[in-house]
């Protein structure tokens, strides 16, 4: 039963929404003759009462930044959908109600009008509208929230149980099963029922349901975490045709598992590459980067460079590093471009901070190697120092030397030199170990001999002369 205050809102709807008739949108045109020509037929349909056509006209004007025209046709679309809602169209009630709930560029939020429309839709059996009302009242009116969530649950249950003996699951039944499962797992609109929820999600078999099941077994939500079970749902999603918004993500999970033998699966390069191709097609950045690494390992530098560049454009700095290094040194099929590569490496180095991933120190180190190669010693020393500060052990040998070179930018300090060589040696750097050994077993004995041996020798010589 709907609370009294909501019933009052329903009966007061005409008073709450005394909307003025919007000006005829046809009077609003723009100077773009080509656009006006393309929209002419849609405008005629919209003027004739076609809300979908009005929406397309509004969207076209909005895309082309004609604000006055866009607002006029938005109002026309809203007017038509309002009329459809008043005629009993539950989709229109929910759509317009949602719009009033959240507001729009050309529409201020109107929670009262939203509640009126969504309540009408919920009473007419629209579960999605009931869910929206549950969310709306979840903080301000918990009891009302529970009421609408329960209403939504019962509507979904009725849809899911209709023709339960039939093996033909239509889209509305699949969606109802998906929502039932999610609500049962979360304990929203009903008591928490983990086993029943999992069963309903499995029956639904929708991409969203499979994704939810994957998360349930990865995180152990109401069940023991079971990665192999989770992967079985991920594989179903990755193999799904037509593709879903989750396909690429799950294909990458499967590719990673099969290529590296993770999560209890045996390594299977054939299956790994199959799912890697799917994830690549779906533009999953980690998959593109992984594919580029494999191509580089196989000597396919041109394809690797293309994929490293793709992944870099998606915000992957490791990929940007690899692309820059291929450009810096050149490769078969890839033209050498030192200027662009150096610019990229500097950009990566400047953007990153100490304590991040591999590329943070690697970019400065590669810059140091480049400037060393071209004979720009001061520039090289600068980037070696930055790389060593970012824990690149290969840069620590040069950093130590910088502390004992007379006239250098760093203070002269054998102690600092020893520190950097010791850190590098303990991290396994052969050059630091060699320098450290030379210092300990070569330089130190010489210093000791000079400091203590020379005075002894002088005293010995003087004593001998005196005796003579």
């Amino acid at each position: 039963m709907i609370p009294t205050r909501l019933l009052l809102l329903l009966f007061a709807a005409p008073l709450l929404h005394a909307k003025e008739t919007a000006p005829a949108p046809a009077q609003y045109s723009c100077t773009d003759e080509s656009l006006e020509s393309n929209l002419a037929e849609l405008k005629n349909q919209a003027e004739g009462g076609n809300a979908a056509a009005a929406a397309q006209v509004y969207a076209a004007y909005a895309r082309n930044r004609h604000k006055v025209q866009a607002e006029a046709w938005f109002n026309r679309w809203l007017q038509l959908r309002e009329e459809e809602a008043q005629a009993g169209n539950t989709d229109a009630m929910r759509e317009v109600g949602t719009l009033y709930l959240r507001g729009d560029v050309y529409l201020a939020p109107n929670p009262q009008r939203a509640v009126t429309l969504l309540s009408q839709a919920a009473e007419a059996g629209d579960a999605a509208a009931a869910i929206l009302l549950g969310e709306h009242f979840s903080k301000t009116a918990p009891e009302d929230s529970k009421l609408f969530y329960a209403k939504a649950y019962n509507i979904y249950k009725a849809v899911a149980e209709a023709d339960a003996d039939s093996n033909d699951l239509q889209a509305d039944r699949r969606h109802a099963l998906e929502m039932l499962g999610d609500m049962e797992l979360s304990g929203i609109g009903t008591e928490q029922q983990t086993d029943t929820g999992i069963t309903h999600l499995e029956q639904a078999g929708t991409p969203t349901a499979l994704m939810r099941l994957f998360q349930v077994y990865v995180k152990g939500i109401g069940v023991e975490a079971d990665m192999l079970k989770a992967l079985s749902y991920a594989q179903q999603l990755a193999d799904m045709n037509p593709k879903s918004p989750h396909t690429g993500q799950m294909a990458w999970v499967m590719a990673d598992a099969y290529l590296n033998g993770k999560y209890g699966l045996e390594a299977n390069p054939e299956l790994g590459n199959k799912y890697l191709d799917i994830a690549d097609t779906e533009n999953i950045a980690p998959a593109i980067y992984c594919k580029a690494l494999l191509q580089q390992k196989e000597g396919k530098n041109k394809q690797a460079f293309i994929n490293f560049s793709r992944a870099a454009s998606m915000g992957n700095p490791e990929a940007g590093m690899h692309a820059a290094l291929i450009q810096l040194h050149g490769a078969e099929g890839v033209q050498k471009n030192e200027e662009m590569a150096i610019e990229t490496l500097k950009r990566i180095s400047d953007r990153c901070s100490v304590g991040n991933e591999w590329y943070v120190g690697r970019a400065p180190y590669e810059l140091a190697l480049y400037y060393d190669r071209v004979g720009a010693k001061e520039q090289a020393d600068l980037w070696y120092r930055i790389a060593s500060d970012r824990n690149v052990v290969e840069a620590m040998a040069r950093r130590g030397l910088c502390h004992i070179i007379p006239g250098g930018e760093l203070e002269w300090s054998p102690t600092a030199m020893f520190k950097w060589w010791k850190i590098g040696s303990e991290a396994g750097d052969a050059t630091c170990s060699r320098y450290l050994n030379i210092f300990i077993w070569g330089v130190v004995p010489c210093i000791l001999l000079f400091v203590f041996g020379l005075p002894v020798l002088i005293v010995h010589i003087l004593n001998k002369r005196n005796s003579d």
Side-chain angles (χ1 to χ4, degrees):
M1 184 174 180
I2 300 181
T4 304
R5 74 165 183 271
L6 294 182
L7 284 172
L8 289 173
L9 285 172
L10 293 177
F11 289 120
L15 296 175
L16 287 170
H17 190 60
K19 184 176 177 66
E20 295 181 3
T21 303
Q27 66 182 279
Y28 293 102
S29 60
C30 68
T31 55
D32 188 336
E33 294 181 4
S34 176
L35 178 62
E36 290 298 324
S37 175
N38 291 335
L39 294 178
E41 181 57 32
L42 283 174
K43 283 185 175 184
N44 288 334
Q45 294 175 24
E47 286 295 340
N50 188 322
Q56 290 182 61
V57 176
Y58 153 65
Y61 278 127
R63 278 196 308 273
N64 288 276
R65 301 185 180 183
H66 296 297
K67 294 182 180 179
V68 174
Q69 293 81 3
E71 183 174 7
W73 284 99
F74 170 85
N75 288 331
R76 175 59 176 164
W77 168 82
L78 182 61
Q79 183 183 51
L80 292 172
R81 289 300 271 170
E82 284 270 15
E83 291 171 1
E84 291 172 2
Q86 290 170 12
N89 184 321
T90 54
D91 287 341
M93 293 175 193
R94 177 177 16 87
E95 184 177 15
V96 178
T98 303
L99 195 64
Y100 276 117
L101 197 62
R102 297 170 182 169
D104 189 81
V105 176
Y106 302 116
L107 186 71
N110 186 336
Q112 291 180 322
R113 178 64 177 154
V115 168
T116 298
L117 288 167
L118 292 173
S119 298
Q120 290 172 338
E123 282 301 299
D126 190 305
I131 290 283
L132 285 167
L133 285 169
E135 292 172 352
H136 176 64
F137 288 115
S138 60
K139 294 181 180 179
T140 58
E143 290 306 314
D144 291 346
S145 178
K146 291 178 183 177
L147 171 74
F148 284 111
Y149 280 137
K151 180 181 285 293
Y153 180 79
N154 289 330
I155 294 170
Y156 284 129
K157 190 173 183 181
V159 174
E161 291 177 351
D163 299 322
D165 296 333
S166 172
N167 292 324
D168 182 23
L169 281 179
Q170 299 298 325
D172 58 344
R173 284 187 64 203
R174 287 187 182 278
H175 177 67
L177 287 165
E178 172 194 308
M179 295 301 297
L180 278 180
D182 204 37
M183 295 178 82
E184 286 158 351
L185 283 173
S186 306
I188 293 176
T190 183
E191 293 181 0
Q192 193 167 19
Q193 308 167 59
T194 302
D195 291 342
T196 306
I198 289 173
T199 299
H200 281 145
L201 288 173
E202 287 178 335
Q203 289 173 344
T206 61
T208 302
L210 292 172
M211 189 67 180
R212 180 70 164 136
L213 288 165
F214 171 78
Q215 294 167 338
V216 164
Y217 282 99
V218 167
K219 299 177 182 177
I221 302 173
V223 297
E224 286 189 18
D226 186 339
M227 197 60 196
L228 279 176
K229 185 77 172 173
L231 289 177
S232 69
Y233 297 116
Q235 193 156 5
Q236 288 182 59
L237 245 174
D239 289 333
M240 189 167 281
N241 194 16
K243 307 298 183 188
S244 83
H246 306 299
T247 297
Q249 185 181 355
M250 291 298 98
W252 165 238
V253 170
M254 297 309 303
D256 187 34
Y258 278 123
L259 287 172
N260 299 297
K262 286 184 176 179
Y263 316 122
L265 289 180
E266 289 187 13
N268 187 325
E270 185 178 352
L271 281 174
N273 284 309
K274 168 193 168 183
Y275 290 113
L276 190 63
D277 287 341
I278 295 172
D280 175 21
T281 303
E282 296 296 307
N283 289 315
I284 304 300
I288 297 168
Y289 176 59
C290 176
K291 192 167 190 177
L293 288 174
L294 292 174
Q295 289 168 333
Q296 188 178 46
K297 190 176 180 180
E298 295 167 0
K300 300 175 180 177
N301 290 299
K302 184 176 181 179
Q303 295 93 320
F305 177 73
I306 292 170
N307 282 318
F308 281 136
S309 299
R310 282 177 64 203
S313 70
M314 297 176 185
N316 186 320
E318 294 99 325
M321 269 287 303
H322 283 287
L325 291 178
I326 291 174
Q327 258 189 333
L328 183 63
H329 302 292
E332 185 180 352
V334 182
Q335 186 175 357
K336 188 174 181 179
N337 189 330
E338 291 185 353
E339 184 179 352
M340 184 173 289
I342 293 300
E343 183 182 335
T344 301
L345 290 172
K346 286 181 177 179
R347 188 166 58 248
I348 292 172
S349 180
D350 291 341
R351 186 178 62 187
C352 303
S353 58
V354 178
N356 284 341
E357 304 297 332
W358 161 80
Y359 58 86
V360 174
R362 202 73 202 176
Y365 181 64
E366 293 295 340
L367 286 166
L369 292 177
Y370 169 77
Y371 284 117
D372 234 354
R373 191 165 63 250
V374 298
K377 181 181 176 301
E378 289 185 3
Q379 284 278 62
D381 285 345
L382 168 66
W383 290 107
Y384 276 123
R385 291 200 300 272
I386 294 173
S388 60
D389 284 335
R390 297 180 182 182
N391 299 316
V392 178
V393 294
E394 297 93 334
M396 292 178 183
R398 181 65 165 263
R399 176 63 178 268
L401 286 174
C402 287
H403 281 287
I404 59 169
I405 295 173
E409 292 188 15
L410 294 178
E411 63 172 341
W412 188 86
S413 174
T415 303
M417 172 203 72
F418 181 82
K419 180 195 80 171
W420 285 108
W421 288 351
K422 189 172 187 299
I423 293 172
S425 178
E426 289 175 349
D429 183 67
T431 304
C432 284
S433 296
R434 184 168 63 253
Y435 285 180
L436 197 62
N437 285 330
I438 291 171
F439 179 73
I440 292 173
W441 303 109
V443 177
V444 172
C446 289
I447 293 172
L448 292 174
L449 184 62
F450 179 80
V451 172
F452 296 104
L454 185 59
V456 171
L457 179 62
I458 292 172
V459 170
H460 174 71
I461 293 171
L462 290 174
N463 288 336
K464 187 175 179 182
R465 284 181 179 178
N466 289 334
S467 63
D468 290 342

